Amino acid sequence: MVLKDKKIVLGVTGGIAAYKACELARMLKKEGAFVRCVMTDAARKFITPLSLETLSCNPVSYDLFPAAGGGGINHIDLAQSDLIVIAPATANIIGKLAGGIADDLLTTVVMASKAPVLLAPAMNEWMYENPAVAENIERLKKRGFRFVGPESGELACGREGTGRLAELEDIVEAMREALSKRDMAAEKVLVTAGATREALDPVRFLSNASSGRMGYSMARAARRRGAEVVLVSGHSVLPEPPGVSVVRVVSAEEMMEAAIRYFPQSTVVIMAAAVSDFRPVKAHAKKMKKAEAVLTAALERTPDILKEMGKKRKGQFLVGFALETEDLVKNASAKLKEKNLDMVVANSPAGFDSETNEVTIIDRGGKVDVLLPMGKGEIAERILDRVVSMKAR
Ligand code: CTP
């Protein structure tokens, strides 16, 4: 988890979207971050410090000159954080920061800080379109300030337009990206994820219980670390990772076709998809009737996509997954050799459709690393750490 133990200042300014900052504070706490909220005077007209204090589990600051003995936190202390996120960021705070004004606690903290600053603007569409706001945003971008959103949709004023605060999950992801290593900026990563479906008839298919979570976490993590990422996805209901090109496929055959298309230009391939090994020889054009008491469907092998890539590889770094119910290391090592891989991530069916997993990473040199059970996002980071270090050798 990139945000774990990170010192975050959550700046809240005075717009109606301020109420969403409460949920953001809760999400950041859940990520394990140390969150301190700084509110402007206008923000305190929309929500109370008590809400943010309760959700962040830390005192909330809003006074540049706290009364003696008032326990306020010094602006220099707040400035020494790992990241400052301002959500919502009004036209006013954007203007002040662009103009180099430091006349309240939040602007002074930003002025005194060397930490990355992420702004999530939220305002009425006409305000957002105002040339002054557009110019201020451009100036701040040139100075290295980061932005997430705003989005289009229904605004608090009832109009449709651009000005809505970005989705909170997108803000959290932008924060992770701001704090992430950028050690994959030169890489073009191809990830496969999810379950393939092999049609029996127009409404039935053979598939498996894969959620796609491992592959989606890999794509997200590689993107954050600066890579250009293509995600070839079988069935999955997960939201598409931001900044990643997603290619949707259904069957193993379609996955093969898409993966082979992106293979030549890729530098790293991570084959996390749960590909069906068999498909019905014949898919019925019409829905099958249950007339027969026993139904036998002839099955044939699907292409082994990873094995094909192992044969065709020209400098690509190949990572496979191995799902094993017995002799984990032995069987996974055999797959690594048979498919000509650089690394194999072995796991058991317990990790299927789960938030966490327990995996063993085996590399082509025979090094075996057993990771403790952890979230799939964290596993993805560990796998990429190994990819980066092996590629650097
Ligand atoms: N794989 C693939 N194409 C297939 C089947 C699997 O590319 N038709 C990939 C998977 O995405 C995974 C690796 O091969 O990265 C190993 O998959 P796994 O299901 O563990 O093993 P299989 O090769 O299918 O062998 P077995 O079912 O005999 O264990």
Side-chain angles (χ1 to χ4, degrees):
M1 274 166 138
V2 184
L3 297 176
K4 189 162 187 317
D5 297 330
K6 289 289 187 296
K7 285 163 85 178
I8 309 284
V9 164
L10 169 57
V12 184
T13 65
I16 183 60
Y19 79 94
K20 295 184 183 172
C22 297
E23 179 64 11
L24 184 58
R26 200 189 62 82
M27 287 165 79
L28 297 176
K29 270 309 287 178
K30 225 172 142 199
E31 294 267 324
F34 179 73
V35 185
R36 289 182 299 179
C37 299
V38 176
M39 301 176 80
T40 60
D41 288 346
R44 285 190 294 136
K45 302 231 190 283
F46 287 92
I47 56 169
T48 68
L50 183 62
S51 311
L52 288 171
E53 197 166 303
T54 311
L55 292 163
S56 69
C57 306
N58 268 323
V60 171
S61 309
Y62 43 82
D63 213 340
L64 185 54
F65 306 107
I73 301 165
N74 169 319
H75 66 275
I76 298 297
D77 182 22
L78 287 164
Q80 285 167 351
S81 293
D82 297 302
L83 175 70
I84 299 173
V85 56
I86 303 182
T90 55
N92 185 46
I93 186 95
I94 290 169
K96 280 194 194 178
L97 295 177
I101 293 170
D103 66 347
D104 64 4
L105 183 62
L106 184 56
T107 47
T108 308
V109 169
V110 174
M111 185 72 92
S113 182
K114 294 209 178 304
V117 181
L118 174 69
L119 301 182
M123 63 196 77
N124 161 279
E125 178 195 15
W126 290 335
M127 272 174 121
Y128 184 62
E129 284 170 358
N130 189 301
V133 174
E135 264 172 43
N136 288 334
I137 289 176
E138 279 319 301
R139 274 165 83 184
L140 289 173
K141 279 186 180 166
K142 280 199 194 108
R143 276 190 230 148
F145 282 66
R146 292 162 172 268
F147 283 82
V148 54
E151 286 182 359
S152 304
E154 196 188 323
L155 304 173
C157 57
R159 291 176 49 81
E160 289 277 324
T162 304
R164 264 167 69 107
L165 186 74
E167 290 298 326
L168 298 183
E169 185 43 59
D170 292 345
I171 298 176
V172 175
E173 182 61 17
M175 293 174 69
R176 292 191 196 109
E177 194 172 327
L179 289 172
S180 229
K181 304 177 213 177
R182 302 290 288 176
D183 54 359
M184 295 191 77
E187 308 292 353
K188 288 184 188 286
V189 179
L190 169 61
V191 182
T192 67
T196 63
R197 289 179 167 184
E198 312 300 328
L200 278 155
D201 72 9
V203 292
R204 302 182 179 95
F205 50 81
L206 291 180
S207 191
N208 57 68
S210 167
S211 63
R213 201 169 275 120
M214 191 64 240
Y216 276 57
S217 300
M218 296 290 327
R220 204 175 261 265
R223 169 73 201 120
R224 244 186 251 143
R225 290 166 81 144
E228 202 179 296
V229 183
V230 174
L231 171 63
V232 176
S233 176
H235 177 74
S236 173
V237 295
L238 296 173
E240 295 188 355
V244 166
S245 311
V246 181
V247 181
R248 296 264 172 196
V249 296
V250 177
S251 64
E253 192 69 43
E254 285 177 26
M255 184 169 276
M256 169 87 162
E257 198 269 321
I260 292 295
R261 188 156 25 105
Y262 288 98
F263 183 61
Q265 63 261 40
S266 305
T267 58
V268 176
V269 177
I270 296 162
M271 190 76 202
V275 187
S276 290
D277 287 325
F278 291 92
R279 67 182 163 214
V281 172
K282 178 169 164 268
H284 290 253
K286 297 202 172 112
K287 184 177 172 235
M288 289 187 288
K289 290 288 179 195
K290 61 171 180 292
E292 296 132 275
V294 178
L295 176 71
T296 308
L299 304 178
E300 64 184 3
R301 287 278 295 271
T302 56
D304 190 321
I305 306 167
L306 192 54
K307 196 167 174 184
E308 213 37 50
M309 291 200 248
K311 286 184 201 153
K312 286 193 163 73
R313 63 187 285 182
K314 286 199 177 78
Q316 290 90 344
F317 190 97
L318 284 191
V319 182
F321 278 71
L323 187 69
E324 307 296 344
T325 47
E326 57 195 333
D327 293 333
L328 191 93
V329 175
K330 186 167 153 259
N331 287 340
S333 304
K335 278 179 194 167
L336 179 139
K337 284 206 181 64
E338 192 210 335
K339 301 194 189 199
N340 190 22
L341 311 177
D342 295 291
M343 190 189 287
V344 69
V345 182
N347 62 150
S348 75
F352 244 48
D353 200 13
S354 154
E355 299 272 345
T356 58
N357 202 357
E358 195 176 342
V359 306
T360 301
I361 302 177
I362 305 162
D363 71 22
R364 61 163 179 258
K367 189 166 180 288
V368 178
D369 253 348
V370 183
L371 303 190
L372 294 170
M374 57 179 82
K376 289 184 176 172
E378 180 83 37
I379 295 174
E381 294 288 347
R382 301 290 184 93
I383 294 170
L384 294 181
D385 286 346
R386 290 292 299 279
V387 171
V388 169
S389 78
M390 277 182 79
K391 283 199 78 182
R393 275 187 218 149

